[in-house]
Amino acid sequence: MQGDIERVLFDGPAIHKRLEEMAAQISVDYAERELTVIPILTGSLMFTSDLLRRIPLPLKLDCLSVVSYHGKAQPSGEVMFKQLAVPDVADQDVLILDDILDTGRTLAAVRKKLEGSKPRSLRICVLLNKKKPRVLNVVPDYIGFDIDDDFVVGYGLDFMDRYRNLPYIGVLRKELIEQPSQ
Ligand code: IMP
Ligand code: MG
């Protein structure tokens, strides 16, 4: 698995250091409120678990499972919700967590769904933010790291459902990425 990685971008200690800072900021921002955290699975699993353990506030957790890539390295353009019922977030202070912001399609679709049940507030927190033009306009309120437009895996992020268990985030070797059929 390690041999498939072209270069490591963020190792475990670097990720955890940044999570400390993000958790501190979120804890200040939501000090007097009860947060409802909505992670987008599966990619946000490690991120969510490590971030939330650093936030000493009362909070609720309700996960959403979304497929946007269908296992390929290029977005299909379609966002599929895996569950029938989306969390009811009426009057709640919602924080959406996602592993990575790429085209913006996933977060735009999730935001739209959740806005339907009228939360009191809604913010977006991503671990990685790809520096590229978005297909849909999404501006995260909290960003872990800005990265170039490379395909990355590890620490929850996958390629064809693999590499999620790598303890670091790295760029996948280009020749391993299947080109989508046109
Ligand atoms: P978007 O809808 O294009 O913004 O993509 C968001 C989703 O695509 C993320 O939640 C990831 O699951 C996946 N994704 C985007 N870029 C990458 C990447 O570089 N590596 C792994 N997954 C990615
Ligand atoms: Mg994802």
Side-chain angles (χ1 to χ4, degrees):
M1 209 163 50
Q2 265 86 348
D4 295 352
I5 303 302
E6 189 182 292
R7 65 181 188 282
V8 173
L9 293 184
F10 309 106
D11 62 11
I15 296 169
H16 292 140
K17 181 170 174 284
R18 183 68 189 119
L19 294 188
E20 287 290 347
E21 296 165 356
M22 295 172 82
Q25 184 63 56
I26 292 167
S27 302
V28 168
D29 293 352
Y30 289 90
E32 303 304 322
R33 291 181 277 172
E34 191 190 51
L35 201 49
T36 298
V37 180
I38 312 238
I40 304 175
L41 298 181
T42 307
S44 302
L45 194 64
M46 278 67 170
F47 172 40
T48 301
S49 149
D50 285 341
L51 181 74
L52 295 191
R53 278 180 289 176
R54 292 172 164 83
I55 299 179
L57 297 178
L59 59 79
K60 296 196 279 188
L61 182 60
D62 204 342
C63 298
L64 259 185
S65 205
V66 165
V67 188
S68 49
Y69 262 45
H70 305 287
K72 301 248 178 72
Q74 292 294 318
S76 66
E78 226 183 292
V79 177
M80 214 171 71
F81 287 79
K82 286 206 209 166
Q83 62 264 78
L84 293 175
V86 287
D88 178 13
V89 293
D91 286 329
Q92 298 181 32
D93 290 306
V94 173
L95 183 64
I96 302 172
L97 300 185
D98 205 3
D99 49 2
I100 188 164
L101 174 58
D102 184 4
T103 65
R105 286 190 177 104
T106 304
L107 279 163
V110 168
R111 180 176 61 191
K112 192 166 165 218
K113 268 260 198 270
L114 294 175
E115 274 171 347
S117 62
K118 305 263 182 287
R120 184 183 306 134
S121 68
L122 194 153
R123 285 187 183 171
I124 292 173
C125 173
V126 295
L127 178 61
L128 302 175
N129 177 48
K130 280 195 185 174
K131 289 182 285 175
K132 65 188 274 193
R134 309 270 174 247
V135 173
L136 290 175
N137 182 37
V138 172
V139 181
D141 300 280
Y142 304 96
I143 293 173
F145 303 101
D146 289 313
I147 63 167
D148 291 332
D149 189 13
D150 290 314
F151 197 82
V152 295
V153 294
Y155 194 68
L157 290 136
D158 74 304
F159 175 61
M160 308 275 276
D161 270 327
R162 306 264 165 73
Y163 307 103
R164 292 196 199 274
N165 55 325
L166 286 174
Y168 53 80
I169 296 167
V171 177
L172 191 63
R173 279 174 38 212
K174 305 262 178 310
E175 61 269 32
L176 295 172
I177 299 173
E178 181 194 347
Q179 289 306 306
S181 44
Q182 297 297 316

